[in-house]
C-alpha cells in the first residue's frame, strides 16, 4: 500500500461541501457532489470585499471540519 493510501485509511478524509465566504459569512454552500468533471460552477452576486473558498467534511472521525482553505481573493 502506498504512503498516501495508508494516510487516507488512517484519517479518512471526506469532503461533504464547498463554502464561499465573505469574512465569516457563508454566501453559498455547494454539496461536493455538485463537482462534475473537476469543475464547480455557481452564480453569486458578490459585494465588494475579501472572499475565500473552503471545503468542509469529515476527518479522523470528526464531522464538519475545515479540510481545505483556498487563497483569499478581493472584489473591488
Amino acid at each position: 500500500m502506498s504512503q498516501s493510501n495508508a494516510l487516507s485509511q488512517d484519517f479518512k478524509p471526506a469532503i461533504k461541501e464547498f463554502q464561499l465566504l465573505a469574512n465569516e459569512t457563508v454566501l453559498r454552500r455547494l454539496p461536493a457532489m455538485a463537482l462534475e468533471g473537476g469543475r464547480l460552477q455557481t452564480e453569486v452576486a458578490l459585494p465588494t470585499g475579501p472572499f475565500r473558498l473552503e471545503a468542509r467534511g469529515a476527518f479522523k472521525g470528526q464531522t464538519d471540519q475545515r479540510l481545505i482553505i483556498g487563497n483569499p481573493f478581493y472584489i473591488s
Side-chain angles (χ1 to χ4, degrees):
M1 180 181 304
S2 74
Q3 185 176 2
S4 64
N5 286 342
L7 287 175
S8 186
Q9 289 299 315
D10 289 344
F11 296 113
K12 296 180 177 39
I15 295 173
K16 301 293 184 190
E17 73 174 7
F18 297 94
Q19 295 180 357
L20 177 63
L21 297 102
N23 294 315
E24 297 306 313
T25 302
V26 178
L27 300 176
R28 181 69 50 101
R29 294 177 193 268
L30 298 161
M33 69 180 104
L35 183 65
E36 295 179 21
R39 292 179 180 238
L40 184 63
Q41 286 186 290
T42 189
E43 290 188 25
V44 180
L46 298 175
T48 300
F51 300 91
R52 72 180 184 277
L53 183 67
E54 293 184 357
R56 299 189 69 89
F59 183 71
K60 292 180 73 175
Q62 301 292 316
T63 59
D64 195 31
Q65 298 295 304
R66 187 181 302 153
L67 302 175
I68 300 169
I69 303 171
N71 289 341
F73 57 97
Y74 189 86
I75 302 292
S76 59

